[in-house]
Amino acid sequence: MLAANRFAFKEWASVCIALAEGRQSVIFRKGGIHESQGEFTVDHPEFWLFPTKFHQDPTELSDEHGDLIPRSQSLTAPADTVHFQHYVVVTDIIRLQDESRLPYLTGLHVWSDQTLSQRFHYRHPGLFALLVSVFTLAEPIALPDSPHFAGCRSWVDLPEELPVAGLKPVLSAAESEKHWSELRVALTSSQIV
């Protein structure tokens, strides 16, 4: 793990909560408007989570995770401030190109089946699945909000490196390995038992 990092990854605040609580160990990504040809690339294998409330829609989450949107809306930082409390290390990247795998992912993430299917088919078939370890700080690091942070893109270059000292894993190594194993089987196995 790096000693400090200046890169952050924009994700729905509700999904950030799910990652921070160990409800999921995967991030699905297609590509953002400001990314090269709309195609997502994993530019940084470690990053801070940058929770965003834009575009959040409760109907896009599965019923059992419907609590995440209201909870994310209740999270408030002081005006003109952005908080960084959760750090992610990507352990594997799997490009999902087979639509028949989607049903096997149910229960391993917070999206509804319909939402994951829509994202899979947006522009052209396929999704990136980032298998991740998530770490948390006891207290968030606050940075002033900036117009530089705005826009529909995955990656944000922060104005300074944020130290990772004091991070604690959200899940134990055994719990993480169990999640990743289930995800790998769902994403790639030709035989589901």
Side-chain angles (χ1 to χ4, degrees):
M1 186 180 298
L2 300 172
N5 196 329
R6 69 178 304 130
F7 298 104
F9 182 84
K10 283 189 171 182
E11 182 57 275
W12 277 18
S14 54
V15 173
C16 291
I17 292 171
L19 290 163
E21 292 180 351
R23 292 193 196 192
Q24 72 179 45
S25 297
V26 62
I27 297 173
F28 294 104
R29 189 54 107 231
K30 184 71 165 203
I33 292 169
H34 295 295
E35 289 163 326
S36 176
Q37 300 176 351
E39 184 74 18
F40 175 72
T41 58
V42 183
D43 294 335
H44 311 286
E46 297 182 24
F47 49 84
W48 293 97
L49 282 177
F50 189 122
T52 178
K53 296 176 187 174
F54 294 111
H55 309 300
Q56 289 197 125
D57 181 346
T59 65
E60 293 193 20
L61 299 180
S62 62
D63 291 341
E64 61 268 28
H65 299 292
D67 66 307
L68 293 173
I69 298 273
R71 287 181 55 207
S72 72
Q73 296 298 341
S74 70
L75 298 176
T76 56
D80 302 322
T81 303
V82 180
H83 282 175
F84 297 92
Q85 188 168 12
H86 300 100
Y87 191 76
V88 171
V89 176
V90 177
T91 60
D92 200 0
I93 303 161
I94 299 173
R95 187 164 191 166
L96 177 60
Q97 295 180 292
D98 181 357
E99 180 182 11
S100 71
R101 309 308 310 159
L102 295 178
Y104 299 113
L105 291 163
T106 300
L108 300 176
H109 59 86
V110 299
W111 300 111
S112 71
D113 292 342
Q114 180 180 1
T115 298
L116 197 61
S117 178
Q118 288 171 343
R119 288 174 182 242
F120 179 88
H121 288 288
Y122 179 66
R123 292 190 186 138
H124 52 82
L127 274 177
F128 288 96
L130 283 62
L131 280 55
V132 298
S133 289
V134 183
F135 300 84
T136 187
L137 289 172
E139 294 295 326
I141 299 170
L143 292 181
D145 199 358
S146 164
H148 171 72
F149 297 161
C152 185
R153 57 190 166 145
S154 297
W155 300 106
V156 176
D157 188 354
L158 301 175
E160 62 187 85
E161 289 197 332
L162 305 182
V164 302
L167 286 171
K168 303 285 186 208
V170 168
L171 296 174
S172 70
E175 290 170 319
S176 291
E177 193 53 56
K178 179 179 181 291
H179 283 211
W180 300 330
S181 177
E182 291 171 345
L183 285 160
R184 285 186 188 100
V185 167
L187 289 160
T188 64
S189 179
S190 60
Q191 296 181 339
I192 301 288
V193 281

